[in-house]
Amino acid sequence: MRKKFMGGNWKMNGNKQVLVKLVEKMCELGIDQYKEMDIVVFPSFVYLDEIKKSLKDSVIKLGAQNQADQLQGAFTGEVSPNMLSDVGCEYVLLGHSERRHIYGETNEMIARKFKLANEQNLLPVLCVGETESERLQGQTEQVIAKQLESVIAYTGIESFSKAVIAYEPVWAIGTGRVAVPQDVQMVHQFIRAVIAKKDESIAQKIRIIYGGSLKPDNAAEIVSQADVDGGLIGGASLKAQDFVMLCQLSC
Ligand code: PGA
């Protein structure tokens, strides 16, 4: 049995007061009863330290939304994996579609980030997914295979024993259009098969989570698919009640 994973990607939202309150509310609503799963929140860099303090002894863990592809030095505006560990992060999102499509991150760049995160003991949550036009052209598997294989070729398959994969169809992120559960299952199965071609045991163990407009009222069928091991939640993770409900549905 794979341990379930629920991530809250807060993106560039909130402020110190609002986000600390959000954590407090999640705790009040009983999020700590879901000890059997990994629950991780991903605030903006500038609030990591504050949120870490507000988590106290909650089960909620801390992650960052991005990371540099270098360890240290003259890289103005970047944040290195060891800085993230230093403020208490255990996880880092890499290759989120907003990084790929708005900020032009390439598969090669993401592979470098992944390798560094792994070496610095941060657990990467590698996001993959097709755009709407790629899906319509029947290229979903091809796109995802390339996104995965470019990282595998650079880091080696062993590094996936310490990683999570998030399947996030770009057309479903923040749009309210959630993917059909059977389609999600097929893509997750495909992702597991890509990993299995290199290492069967890693493929069986790796968590593959779904993200894209998941809400309490549409998540039940998706998170109960055989190859879905949890979710990456954007909008609904900014509402304590919705996020706690999503944890309940996934546990
Ligand atoms: P959404 O975002 O839940 O708002 O669609 C998901 C994500 O971007 O990780």
Side-chain angles (χ1 to χ4, degrees):
M1 269 300 278
R2 295 178 289 264
K3 194 174 184 184
K4 300 284 184 195
F5 183 103
M6 184 58 66
N9 177 9
W10 292 346
K11 309 193 180 183
M12 200 173 71
N13 290 301
N15 59 35
K16 206 193 298 187
Q17 199 190 4
V18 165
L19 297 176
V20 166
K21 277 234 165 67
L22 181 58
V23 168
E24 282 167 8
K25 187 95 189 147
M26 286 176 182
C27 294
E28 265 168 49
L29 292 170
I31 200 160
D32 288 324
Q33 67 193 283
Y34 305 113
K35 289 186 176 55
E36 305 306 313
M37 57 196 296
D38 285 325
I39 301 175
V40 186
V41 293
F42 297 87
S44 152
F45 288 136
V46 293
Y47 299 130
L48 287 170
D49 215 14
E50 193 66 27
I51 296 301
K52 176 68 188 169
K53 282 183 219 143
S54 76
L55 292 176
K56 296 182 194 125
D57 49 7
S58 163
V59 300
I60 305 174
K61 295 175 185 146
L62 193 66
Q65 297 174 15
N66 190 19
Q67 167 223 289
D69 63 349
Q70 305 287 335
L71 259 195
Q72 63 171 41
F75 302 101
T76 304
E78 292 292 316
V79 178
S80 77
N82 27 16
M83 290 172 176
L84 297 177
S85 306
D86 197 26
V87 293
C89 286
E90 295 175 61
Y91 296 85
V92 61
L93 292 182
L94 294 179
H96 188 279
S97 79
E98 286 147 21
R99 299 303 316 169
R100 292 178 189 267
H101 297 287
I102 307 176
Y103 296 100
E105 290 195 10
T106 61
N107 282 329
E108 292 67 34
M109 204 184 281
I110 293 158
R112 285 198 299 277
K113 293 181 177 199
F114 187 105
K115 188 161 191 277
L116 270 189
N118 228 264
E119 289 167 356
Q120 302 302 315
N121 288 321
L122 266 184
L123 213 120
V125 179
L126 175 66
C127 305
V128 298
E130 80 289 1
T131 62
E132 177 145 53
S133 74
E134 288 162 345
R135 166 160 286 249
L136 293 173
Q137 288 168 52
Q139 294 172 344
T140 299
E141 293 192 348
Q142 196 184 322
V143 168
I144 291 173
K146 185 146 186 249
Q147 291 170 335
L148 291 171
E149 275 158 9
S150 56
V151 177
I152 298 171
Y154 188 75
T155 64
I157 191 66
E158 296 72 30
S159 59
F160 280 73
S161 60
K162 285 193 288 170
V164 172
I165 297 172
Y167 169 52
E168 299 205 300
V170 180
W171 49 270
I173 297 179
T175 57
R177 288 171 58 200
V178 70
V180 176
Q182 290 72 20
D183 290 350
V184 174
Q185 167 58 19
M186 269 168 59
V187 176
H188 281 227
Q189 222 173 344
F190 172 75
I191 291 172
R192 212 176 288 289
V194 171
I195 305 291
K197 262 197 277 169
K198 310 278 179 191
D199 189 309
E200 181 62 39
S201 133
I202 292 176
Q204 287 317 313
K205 288 189 196 126
I206 193 163
R207 271 99 46 97
I208 307 174
I209 61 176
Y210 169 83
S213 296
L214 273 188
K215 307 267 179 300
D217 62 2
N218 63 23
E221 210 186 330
I222 291 187
V223 296
S224 59
Q225 299 296 311
D227 285 289
V228 177
D229 305 307
L232 184 56
I233 318 298
S237 70
L238 293 163
K239 295 182 190 139
Q241 200 162 7
D242 285 5
F243 191 65
V244 173
M245 191 89 85
L246 284 160
C247 292
Q248 188 195 336
L249 287 170
S250 304
C251 73

